[in-house]
Amino acid sequence: MDDLKPAIASPLLQRATDLPGIGAKHWQARLELGFARRDARSYLAHRLHHGPLVVQKSLHPEGEDICHAVVVHPPGGVAGGDALHLQVSVGEGARALLTTPGAGKWYKANGTKATQTLQFQLAAGSGLEWLPQENILFDAAEVGFSADIALAADATLAAWDIVCLGRQAQKEIWQRGLYQLNQRITRHGRLIWNERARMQADDLVKTSRVGLGNAAVFGTFLVCAGVVPAEVLQACREIVLTEAKVGITALPEVLCIRYVGNASQQARQYFEQCWQILRPWYYQKNAIRPRIWNT
């Protein structure tokens, strides 16, 4: 990795119409981040962006061991046809925490799907926490989320995502649109998690009791750090929520925590409670909230 390599980019707010061979007015944004470790310090060693997807500054609010960074999408919302691509590599022994400054807003599709692609690669002894704030799908949004995550044999991953169907503050109902998910995690080249979903706004799964049951918010929190100790698992299961459904499944190599309800704030708080319990196990460190969450 390049040591503290500066960002190289086209003008920050350049639309894809300015790029050769692209005719539609869509954002094509790409951000590459590389974290490394020197002695006891994890640091942002490589940063490259094209289009409106950036990190402004790396932070160390909990000491040198873990580097925090906030991924920012300056336009504030994603329209139909826009594509966001985040590529992260974490070098041997390094640890990083990535989050976002606010909810992701996915606008009406206008006939073209918007996409978010994550590519994470974690080297030996490394760790990555991907803890973004929720994604809000406006009515008529069509969105495809994909993630391809490659873990070394002893790397640690903690990642959550929360989806809100419709703008709750405006009491908007998601009546038209498409949600797609393609998520794949490998460890040392072996597949340990593969999840795919496709839901249109009028699909039965949205209203069925064995699906979302008309809930507007759903989320998943995955931890890949080996077998979860029984006492840690029990502590997570003792968290009680009202007016929401949660489920915890402990597989040999993946801990999966689900939320289905009607409040994105409740989903975030629930996942954060679980994180407070889980982090001392998988990192041997207490959870320290990113500063941006307090703003």
Side-chain angles (χ1 to χ4, degrees):
M1 294 181 183
D2 302 324
D3 188 9
L4 299 177
K5 184 175 181 179
I8 303 173
S10 56
L12 184 61
L13 298 182
Q14 178 189 40
R15 279 285 187 180
T17 43
D18 301 323
L19 304 177
I22 298 178
K25 293 185 176 182
H26 304 311
W27 294 119
Q28 305 293 315
R30 183 183 185 91
L31 174 63
E32 297 177 13
L33 301 175
F35 295 88
R37 186 179 182 92
R38 180 184 296 135
D39 299 324
R41 179 180 175 84
S42 296
Y43 64 99
L44 180 59
H46 171 77
R47 179 179 58 189
L48 176 70
H49 82 265
H50 177 91
L53 196 62
V54 297
V55 291
Q56 295 178 327
K57 186 178 180 181
S58 59
L59 306 166
H60 290 81
E62 51 182 316
E64 302 288 84
D65 182 46
I66 302 176
C67 183
H68 289 218
V70 180
V71 177
V72 180
H73 181 237
V78 187
D82 290 357
L84 308 182
H85 191 126
L86 175 61
Q87 183 175 331
V88 180
S89 61
V90 186
E92 186 172 347
R95 289 178 172 179
L97 186 154
L98 297 177
T99 188
T100 56
K105 301 177 181 66
W106 299 81
Y107 298 148
K108 181 179 179 180
N110 293 319
T112 311
K113 185 171 68 174
T115 61
Q116 174 185 279
T117 302
L118 307 177
Q119 289 183 304
F120 299 159
Q121 186 166 5
L122 280 63
S126 68
L128 176 64
E129 293 171 305
W130 169 241
L131 310 177
Q133 299 196 51
E134 69 270 20
N135 284 302
I136 302 173
L137 274 58
F138 287 34
D139 187 32
E142 297 184 10
V143 184
F145 296 100
S146 65
D148 192 351
I149 303 171
L151 309 177
D154 59 348
T156 297
L157 171 76
W160 69 45
D161 68 88
I162 299 168
V163 175
C164 180
L165 302 176
R167 290 170 288 176
Q168 292 183 305
Q170 282 74 32
K171 298 183 179 180
E172 179 182 70
I173 299 174
W174 195 61
Q175 301 180 83
R176 295 174 295 145
L178 173 69
Y179 164 83
Q180 286 185 309
L181 174 69
N182 187 354
Q183 189 177 61
R184 186 174 184 271
I185 304 174
T186 61
R187 183 178 291 283
H188 200 50
R190 180 172 49 85
L191 185 66
I192 62 172
W193 183 263
N194 189 20
E195 181 170 12
R196 296 190 179 192
R198 187 182 191 278
M199 177 178 64
Q200 291 183 307
D202 58 355
D203 282 349
L204 182 61
V205 69
K206 185 168 174 280
T207 57
S208 171
R209 292 179 60 187
V210 296
L212 294 182
N214 282 317
V217 179
F218 59 94
T220 302
F221 183 11
L222 300 176
V223 178
C224 303
V227 178
V228 186
E231 63 275 14
V232 174
L233 189 60
Q234 181 59 32
C236 289
R237 286 176 169 160
E238 288 176 356
I239 300 173
V240 177
L241 298 185
T242 58
E243 300 181 355
K245 297 187 292 185
V246 298
I248 300 178
T249 304
L251 302 173
E253 298 198 54
V254 181
L255 174 67
C256 176
I257 303 174
R258 306 279 196 182
Y259 170 94
V260 176
N262 284 296
S264 56
Q265 183 178 8
Q266 184 186 47
R268 290 198 311 270
Q269 291 173 345
Y270 172 60
F271 283 171
E272 189 175 345
Q273 283 181 281
C274 292
W275 182 52
Q276 297 280 347
I277 295 168
L278 292 164
R279 205 182 199 226
W281 157 60
Y282 68 74
Y283 260 6
Q284 297 77 54
K285 293 176 74 75
N286 290 331
I288 303 296
R289 302 182 83 246
R291 293 172 181 173
I292 195 72
W293 292 358
N294 298 322
T295 60

